[in-house]
Amino acid sequence: MILRVYTISILLLSICLFTSCLDDNDKSETLMENCIGTVKIENAITYVNLDFIDARLYPTNLNSEWKDGTRVVVTFRIDKTKQNSDKYWDSIELLNQYEVPCKDIVKSSSDIIYGNDLIIGIRSKWITDTILNFDINYTASSPESHVFNLINDSEINQVGKDTIVLQFAHNAHNDVSSVYEKKQYNCFSLTSLLPYLEKKDSVVLQIVSSSFKPEKNNCITYKKQNNDPILNITSNK
């Protein structure tokens, strides 16, 4: 009888310790949601260079069709007790992943459909390498994503000016009500603006649109370093 009670006590203690370990492991895990970054391929090794976090992510299930330079958004969990370094996160399984297409800045508005001019909010904007990024939120009447474009009017923005005015075109798909809260990343290539930096260290990009909330500062500095476009992140929130 005593032996049986002793055995049951040991079993209960083991269960408690096991549960405690699970709790500790749960606390060590961190969910990283909707992190934006760039796919990099070096020496046949593919990783994701994350914006803002200053870390390289080595996923086990990254989309193999993505090429070097692809902008992506990923969701994953990290176990801090198993990571080799704060800046190198190995063997990560992605819970979600999708590409953010990088659009060119267009030269005219003739091919742009504006739709209804609903108010949108720019949560933040920043530059990585030669890409201008927006984190945008808005409301929509359907799950379909809105379409955003940037327009550079060369007649207004002549080379040599200190400020380049870019028109933010918004196609709302004729949304008329606010049912869905949407958050959307948008990326635009700035390579077409490199001639503006030939004789300057930097230019100011002024993003204009009647869709913007008026309290937002919609200017961001595009600069070069060592005669090349910046490789670090410039952010103007």
Side-chain angles (χ1 to χ4, degrees):
M1 179 67 178
I2 297 177
L3 178 61
R4 180 179 299 177
V5 172
Y6 178 77
T7 303
I8 294 175
S9 300
I10 293 296
L11 180 60
L12 291 175
L13 179 61
S14 300
I15 293 174
C16 291
L17 290 175
F18 180 71
T19 304
S20 176
C21 289
L22 285 179
D23 290 340
D24 289 341
N25 286 338
D26 289 342
K27 292 178 182 178
S28 69
E29 284 192 347
T30 302
L31 178 64
M32 310 292 289
E33 292 185 278
N34 299 320
C35 300
I36 187 169
T38 304
V39 174
K40 297 289 186 180
I41 302 176
E42 296 180 358
N43 300 321
I45 298 176
T46 303
Y47 62 92
V48 178
N49 198 29
L50 298 172
D51 293 5
F52 304 115
I53 303 177
D54 189 24
R56 291 184 177 184
L57 181 69
Y58 294 85
T60 58
N61 59 334
L62 187 69
N63 189 331
S64 60
E65 296 183 358
W66 285 341
K67 299 179 180 179
D68 184 85
T70 302
R71 295 288 283 165
V72 296
V73 174
V74 295
T75 296
F76 57 95
R77 292 184 184 274
I78 58 171
D79 186 343
K80 296 180 180 179
T81 64
K82 297 181 180 179
Q83 299 308 310
N84 297 330
S85 167
D86 289 339
K87 293 188 177 182
Y88 297 91
W89 297 342
D90 299 325
S91 303
I92 296 294
E93 181 179 359
L94 299 180
L95 304 177
N96 188 28
Q97 57 181 311
Y98 63 89
E99 179 181 353
V100 181
C102 187
K103 300 180 180 179
D104 291 328
I105 296 176
V106 297
K107 295 182 180 179
S108 70
S109 59
S110 59
D111 297 326
I112 302 300
I113 302 174
Y114 289 89
N116 292 355
D117 197 19
L118 298 184
I119 296 298
I120 62 174
I122 296 181
R123 294 159 52 93
S124 62
K125 55 187 178 299
W126 69 100
I127 294 175
T128 52
D129 298 335
T130 57
I131 297 175
L132 173 59
N133 308 272
F134 291 94
D135 182 0
I136 295 172
N137 64 350
Y138 57 91
T139 56
S141 61
S142 69
E144 186 177 7
S145 297
H146 290 192
V147 177
F148 300 95
N149 287 280
L150 279 180
I151 302 170
N152 175 20
D153 189 338
S154 58
E155 294 184 1
I156 299 175
N157 300 317
Q158 298 177 358
V159 174
K161 285 191 173 183
D162 296 327
T163 300
I164 302 173
V165 179
L166 300 176
Q167 184 179 3
F168 198 85
H170 176 202
N171 181 1
H173 296 298
N174 296 315
D175 280 342
V176 293
S177 62
S178 302
V179 178
Y180 296 92
E181 292 286 342
K182 302 279 289 186
K183 175 183 175 182
Q184 184 174 327
Y185 287 113
N186 286 265
C187 300
F188 299 93
S189 173
L190 295 176
T191 54
S192 64
L193 302 184
L194 291 180
Y196 294 92
L197 291 174
E198 286 183 356
K199 298 182 180 180
K200 294 180 179 293
D201 293 329
S202 65
V203 293
V204 175
L205 306 181
Q206 182 181 4
I207 318 300
V208 298
S209 173
S210 59
S211 295
F212 291 160
K213 294 180 179 179
E215 69 273 14
K216 288 291 184 181
N217 174 18
N218 293 316
C219 292
I220 186 168
T221 302
Y222 181 35
K223 60 184 179 180
K224 64 181 178 181
Q225 183 176 341
N226 298 326
N227 297 322
D228 291 318
I230 58 171
L231 299 179
N232 59 322
I233 294 176
T234 298
S235 178
N236 292 68
K237 294 187 178 181

